[in-house]
Amino acid sequence: MNEKKSASIKGLVFREFFLGRKSYVSILIMAVVVPFMFMLCMLSAKFGNLRLVEDSDEMIETIYIMSLYFPAFIFSSAVYGILDAVAADFNTKWNGYMRSTPVKTEKFMGIKFGIITCFTILSVIMSILSAFAFAAVAGKSITSDDISIIMCIVALCDFAFVFYIVLAYALGMNKATSVFSFVIVAAVLGALFSFIKFADEHIVVDNPFEILIMENARIIAPFTPVIIIATIVIGYILSVTFAKRRER
C-alpha cells in the first residue's frame, strides 16, 4: 500500500515537472547566463576594457547592485513552471478527469504547493549565495540591507505567483490572466506615484529611490518568513476550496 502511495506521489511530481519543463529549462538557462554576464561585466569593469571607460566606478557600482538583486527575481521565477502545469490542467480538463481517479484534491494541490515551497527555499539560498559571490568579486561585504531586499524580492515573487494560481482556480485561467495583469499594472502605477510623492518630499536627498526601497525593506524583511509561509498555506487552502467548487 505504501509503495502504491509512493508511486502515486512520484507520478504526480513528475507530471508537474513535465508540464512545466519549458519554463524550467528557460529559467535554468537564465539562472546560468545572466549571473555569468554580470560577472564578466564586473570583471571587465575592474580589470578589463570597461575600466578605461569614463565613470567606470559608477558603472561598477551599477553592475554590482544589479548583480546582487536581479538573480533573486530569476531564482524566484522557478515557481512559474507550476503555472504552466495549472494552465495545462485547464486546457486538458484534468480537473474533471481527476474526479474519476483515487487522487484527492488535497493531495493534488499538496504536490503543487510542496514544489512551490521547495523552490522558494532554494531561491532564498541561491539568491544569498549569488550575492555573496558577487560581493567577493567586487571586494565588498554583504550588508543586512542587502539580505533584506533579497528576502523582500523572494516574498514578493512568491506572493505574486501563488496569487495567480489561486485566481486561476477561482476564475479560470483566462479570467485569472486578465485580473492578474490588471492588478500588476495597478500595483506598478501605485508604486510609481508613491515614489514620485516621496521624491518630491525629499527633493534635496540623493538617490531617493534607493532610500525608499531601503526603508521599506528594513520594515518588511523581518516578517518575510511569516509572509512566505502564510502565502503558501493560505494559497493551498484557497486553491483546494476553489478547485473543489469547480468540480461540482
Side-chain angles (χ1 to χ4, degrees):
M1 190 70 176
N2 290 331
E3 290 182 1
K4 289 183 178 180
K5 287 183 178 180
S6 177
S8 174
I9 291 173
K10 288 179 182 178
L12 290 173
V13 171
F14 175 78
R15 177 183 177 277
E16 295 297 321
F17 281 105
F18 179 78
L19 293 175
R21 64 192 182 280
K22 292 182 180 179
S23 291
Y24 293 132
V25 170
S26 300
I27 291 165
L28 179 61
I29 293 172
M30 288 180 62
V32 173
V33 172
V34 173
F36 179 71
M37 294 301 295
F38 277 135
M39 190 68 75
L40 285 181
C41 291
M42 190 178 295
L43 290 172
S44 179
K46 287 193 71 175
F47 309 110
N49 294 332
L50 287 180
R51 68 187 174 89
L52 303 176
V53 177
E54 188 178 355
D55 298 328
S56 60
D57 291 339
E58 292 183 9
M59 182 182 297
I60 293 174
E61 186 63 24
T62 301
I63 294 172
Y64 174 67
I65 292 173
M66 292 179 66
S67 66
L68 281 186
Y69 308 134
F70 194 73
F73 284 104
I74 298 175
F75 295 129
S76 299
S77 296
V79 178
Y80 191 84
I82 297 295
L83 278 168
D84 281 352
V86 172
D89 290 342
F90 280 94
N91 291 334
T92 60
K93 302 187 184 302
W94 165 265
N95 296 322
Y97 167 76
M98 190 175 62
R99 283 182 292 176
S100 63
T101 70
V103 180
K104 292 184 178 180
T105 305
E106 289 84 356
K107 184 177 181 179
F108 180 61
M109 290 299 173
I111 297 296
K112 289 184 183 295
F113 281 85
I115 294 173
I116 290 172
T117 302
C118 292
F119 276 136
T120 301
I121 295 171
L122 184 63
S123 64
V124 171
I125 294 171
M126 293 301 297
S127 298
I128 293 175
L129 288 178
S130 174
F132 273 104
F134 282 111
V137 172
K140 298 186 178 185
S141 299
I142 294 294
T143 66
S144 58
D145 286 337
D146 295 328
I147 300 298
S148 295
I149 292 175
I150 289 171
M151 290 300 296
C152 288
I153 290 172
V154 174
L156 177 63
C157 291
D158 201 58
F159 178 83
F161 287 126
V162 170
F163 177 63
Y164 199 162
I165 292 170
V166 172
L167 279 178
Y169 285 107
L171 306 174
M173 205 66 206
N174 293 333
K175 290 182 180 179
T177 300
S178 300
V179 173
F180 183 77
S181 300
F182 174 80
V183 171
I184 290 297
V185 171
V188 170
L189 290 176
L192 179 62
F193 286 130
S194 296
F195 167 67
I196 293 173
K197 183 179 179 181
F198 182 87
D200 186 55
E201 293 174 352
H202 299 77
I203 194 168
V204 296
V205 177
D206 292 333
N207 300 320
F209 184 64
E210 182 178 345
I211 293 172
L212 181 61
I213 290 178
M214 288 295 184
E215 286 185 354
N216 285 286
R218 287 168 185 162
I219 295 171
I220 298 171
F223 305 101
T224 49
V226 176
I227 293 171
I228 290 171
I229 293 171
T231 296
I232 292 173
V233 171
I234 295 173
Y236 166 76
I237 294 171
L238 291 176
S239 295
V240 169
T241 302
F242 290 132
K244 283 185 174 180
R245 287 181 182 176
R246 297 186 71 84
E247 290 173 7
R248 294 172 184 171

